[in-house]
Amino acid sequence: MENKKHGFGSALGFILAAAGSAVGLGNLWAFPYKVSQNGGAAFVLVYIACVVLIGCIVMMAEIYLGKRGKANTVSAYKKVNKNLGFFGVIAIIIPTVIVCYYCVLGGWTLRYAVNSFQPNDALSNANSFANFTSNPIMPIAFTFIFMAITAVIIMGGIKNGIERAAKFLMPILFLIVVFIAIFSLFLGDGVKDGLNFYLNPDFKELGFNGVLAAMGQAFFSLSIGMGTLISYGSYTGKEIKVGKSTFMICLFDSLVALLAGLAIFSSLGALQPDSLQEAHGVGLVYQILPQVFEKMGGFGSVISLLFFIMVVIAALTSVISILEVSVQFICQRYKKKRKSVTIIMAVICFLVSVPITWSVGGAFDGKIILFGYDLLTFLDEIANTVLMPVCAMGACIAIGWFIDKKVRFNPMKTLRALEKDGLELGFFGKIFAVMVKYVAPLVIGVVVVMGIVGKYAEYMLKGLNYSYIVGGALILIAIAVIVYFMFFENKDTGDNHTEEIVESK
Ligand code: PFF
């Protein structure tokens, strides 16, 4: 009952907030170009398979971990088994690291939205992006504003802050993406070529690397393996069905990604076909699209504004969910009020984001480089290739193997234990049990290993040593384990109820 007062007010509120976490730059920017680079519709098919077979399973495991624990990630894991608490610490470290660089991209996006009002700013000028990002002050100022908005929403709490923002912002985002997708289909003859480039199925081009890319994209896009869903799940009550909510979130996330690709590639095909081949990476959203908007004539600045508002909303609702994980933990573990904790965490993440901004933007002649990588790439690689999969595996292991310690290898016994524990699985119960216990952890393990091996080759060719990335990730995991067993194993790490008591004082 305590959850009602403090947690999400309705199932819809939770679904929209979780969808807000899932829909982000990964959908509007990474997904479209990854599709076009990895075999078009062939990639989409594999992506959907990854979402359905692995993504949904991990998402259900994470939401349920939170829902049953009614607590921050560390306590949620501890409530399954005391020795698994370190997964909760990793699940706090990862999102906190991600906030520090994701908000830099959020800041850039905010600047582009604001500048849609000023067509004379020559956004389409190829140097404009480089001038902006290499400026030592401007990107930081926009990151600051972005972070401040994030903090204000989190300070409002789950129901009055996060849920309210999601209920207001997510329908707007959806309307914009549908509108822009339809609009771009009518831009002229070249639309067909653009769509052909985007979706033409080519299984040869997909290859094994394409499959790995689809898997990584599915994880990042669904926000799994980062503690955010455990944290949001903890604020849900009986009214939320884990399976149904997962289905809705995954559907919404995939739909937005597909529509964004449709919009981007139809417009490119019609207005700037020469750029189709180079439409990837940071340049797609921040360099090529502004040129395309300019070619739309008078309507262009309206579309540009709508597009960048949509990207800002997507980035904002994602960063909110990522920052919430550490805020929740600190509030509950140290019995502090949400408002002050949010401000402290936002300031820390903002301060860390400053060198990242300089590093990725190339300010000070690009001197802020770590082992040959800009800081954003370095941290993103650490999180994506090692930490997130480890955390996703943690959720599967906790749910598949530890809910009832007496159950060993038989997935049907696991199913019974889960149902007894309170997870309603219905028709898909047997499949879920087999997947969460065996298939998902195994597939994730294989993907991590293959991913690391593949990246070694890729980065070595660029003259960069990938060992630093893997080493960095392993060090973070080791720190998480040590911190857990030294400081949190035998301590009360609090729960949502603690937070409520502190707030009401
Ligand atoms: N899912 C978001 C995207 O697709 O951009 C990114 C994200 C959100 C990553 C939440 C991590 C996270 F915890």
Side-chain angles (χ1 to χ4, degrees):
M1 259 299 106
E2 80 263 21
N3 228 37
K4 254 288 165 273
K5 232 170 81 201
H6 200 63
F8 287 103
S10 65
L12 181 69
F14 164 69
I15 290 170
L16 286 176
S21 169
V23 174
L25 298 172
N27 302 60
L28 303 179
W29 160 41
F31 180 83
Y33 80 76
K34 285 192 179 161
V35 173
S36 73
Q37 283 183 330
N38 291 294
F43 181 89
V44 176
L45 281 182
V46 176
Y47 176 82
I48 292 174
C50 292
V51 170
V52 173
L53 296 176
I54 309 293
C56 284
I57 303 295
V58 181
M59 186 180 280
M60 284 175 70
E62 292 194 348
I63 296 177
Y64 184 61
L65 257 181
K67 184 174 150 119
R68 75 188 288 285
K70 303 249 173 295
N72 62 75
T73 54
V74 178
S75 295
Y77 270 106
K78 270 169 94 174
K79 285 183 181 179
V80 177
N81 187 297
K82 219 174 141 199
N83 293 324
L84 294 181
F86 68 89
F87 276 123
V89 182
I90 307 179
I92 293 171
I93 294 179
I94 308 172
T96 310
V97 166
I98 296 180
V99 174
C100 301
Y101 67 78
Y102 204 93
C103 67
V104 175
L105 300 171
W108 290 3
T109 312
L110 195 61
R111 184 265 188 182
Y112 273 73
V114 171
N115 273 40
S116 301
F117 291 116
Q118 302 171 354
N120 296 336
D121 178 66
L123 268 185
S124 57
N125 177 346
N127 292 326
S128 159
F129 175 71
N131 284 345
F132 168 64
T133 50
S134 62
N135 182 309
I137 303 296
M138 285 313 278
I140 292 173
F142 279 99
T143 302
F144 180 83
I145 300 171
F146 186 84
M147 207 55 178
I149 303 172
T150 307
V152 167
I153 295 173
I154 297 182
M155 276 153 74
I158 299 299
K159 194 166 162 184
N160 292 326
I162 297 177
E163 180 172 358
R164 209 195 264 173
K167 276 182 161 167
F168 174 67
L169 295 173
M170 292 313 284
I172 298 180
L173 179 146
F174 194 66
L175 286 180
I176 297 180
V177 75
V178 171
F179 171 75
I180 297 189
I182 296 176
F183 174 84
S184 52
L185 285 180
F186 293 98
L187 284 173
D189 289 343
V191 167
K192 258 191 268 116
D193 302 331
L195 289 182
N196 199 22
F197 182 82
Y198 174 41
L199 288 175
N200 185 29
D202 182 347
F203 281 91
K204 263 194 256 110
E205 211 179 292
L206 176 72
F208 190 68
N209 279 343
V211 175
L212 287 183
M215 184 74 150
Q217 174 63 21
F219 271 47
F220 188 78
S221 184
L222 296 173
S223 302
I224 52 185
M226 314 192 211
T228 54
L229 291 165
I230 302 177
S231 171
Y232 275 11
S234 78
Y235 292 109
T236 65
K238 282 212 177 66
E239 70 283 4
I240 276 119
K241 299 271 173 289
V242 175
K244 218 164 136 192
S245 310
T246 300
F247 174 75
M248 307 278 281
I249 299 163
C250 291
L251 185 69
F252 194 81
D253 187 64
S254 307
L255 206 61
V256 172
L258 277 168
L259 285 172
L262 204 74
I264 289 173
F265 283 97
S266 319
S267 318
L268 273 174
L271 302 172
Q272 195 154 315
D274 295 349
S275 298
L276 278 172
Q277 294 294 345
E278 19 161 334
H280 53 82
V282 176
L284 170 60
V285 169
Y286 301 103
Q287 280 171 305
I288 298 179
L289 283 183
Q291 296 172 23
V292 173
F293 294 138
E294 200 165 88
K295 293 203 172 120
M296 288 179 182
F299 222 51
S301 33
V302 179
I303 299 291
S304 165
L305 178 64
L306 284 177
F307 181 84
F308 282 110
I309 286 180
M310 170 174 83
V311 190
V312 169
I313 293 177
L316 186 65
T317 46
S318 292
V319 171
I320 290 170
S321 74
I322 320 178
L323 190 56
E324 168 61 25
V325 184
S326 55
V327 169
Q328 180 191 28
F329 174 71
I330 297 170
C331 288
Q332 300 180 359
R333 166 64 184 87
Y334 298 100
K335 303 190 176 40
K336 298 279 178 235
K337 292 213 175 199
R338 172 170 281 270
K339 284 202 174 91
S340 28
V341 173
T342 308
I343 293 174
I344 291 170
M345 283 314 295
V347 169
I348 292 175
C349 291
F350 168 71
L351 290 178
V352 178
S353 82
V354 173
I356 297 178
T357 311
W358 288 334
S359 172
V360 67
F364 308 116
D365 297 328
K367 288 200 185 92
I368 305 179
I369 292 291
L370 196 61
F371 309 125
Y373 296 85
D374 72 74
L375 295 181
L376 194 149
T377 309
F378 187 76
L379 296 176
D380 191 45
E381 285 288 337
I382 282 189
N384 281 336
T385 36
V386 188
L387 296 180
M388 272 164 48
V390 165
C391 227
M393 214 192 254
C396 294
I397 290 171
I399 294 294
W401 293 89
F402 284 90
I403 289 291
D404 183 344
K405 263 188 285 175
K406 278 181 253 110
V407 175
R408 300 228 167 218
F409 300 103
N410 186 342
M412 294 312 120
K413 285 193 181 159
T414 304
L415 173 62
R416 254 167 270 139
L418 283 171
E419 283 177 337
K420 205 167 129 216
D421 194 63
L423 178 57
E424 298 169 46
L425 289 163
F427 186 68
F428 294 106
K430 286 184 186 151
I431 300 177
F432 177 80
V434 176
M435 297 300 282
V436 83
K437 202 172 171 82
Y438 290 107
V439 182
L442 208 75
V443 173
I444 295 170
V446 171
V447 167
V448 175
V449 175
M450 302 296 284
I452 291 175
V453 173
K455 294 273 175 158
Y456 259 111
E458 184 191 328
Y459 276 93
M460 290 298 189
L461 284 177
K462 291 186 205 161
L464 294 166
N465 192 342
Y466 202 69
S467 311
Y468 293 119
I469 302 254
V470 180
L474 294 179
I475 289 172
L476 281 183
I477 293 178
I479 292 174
V481 176
I482 294 169
V483 164
Y484 176 72
F485 285 107
M486 276 182 71
F487 300 108
F488 302 133
E489 188 196 12
N490 296 317
K491 291 246 165 61
D492 168 25
T493 39
D495 56 19
N496 293 356
H497 192 51
T498 325
E499 192 180 338
E500 203 178 306
I501 296 169
V502 174
E503 290 296 329
S504 61
K505 267 191 200 151

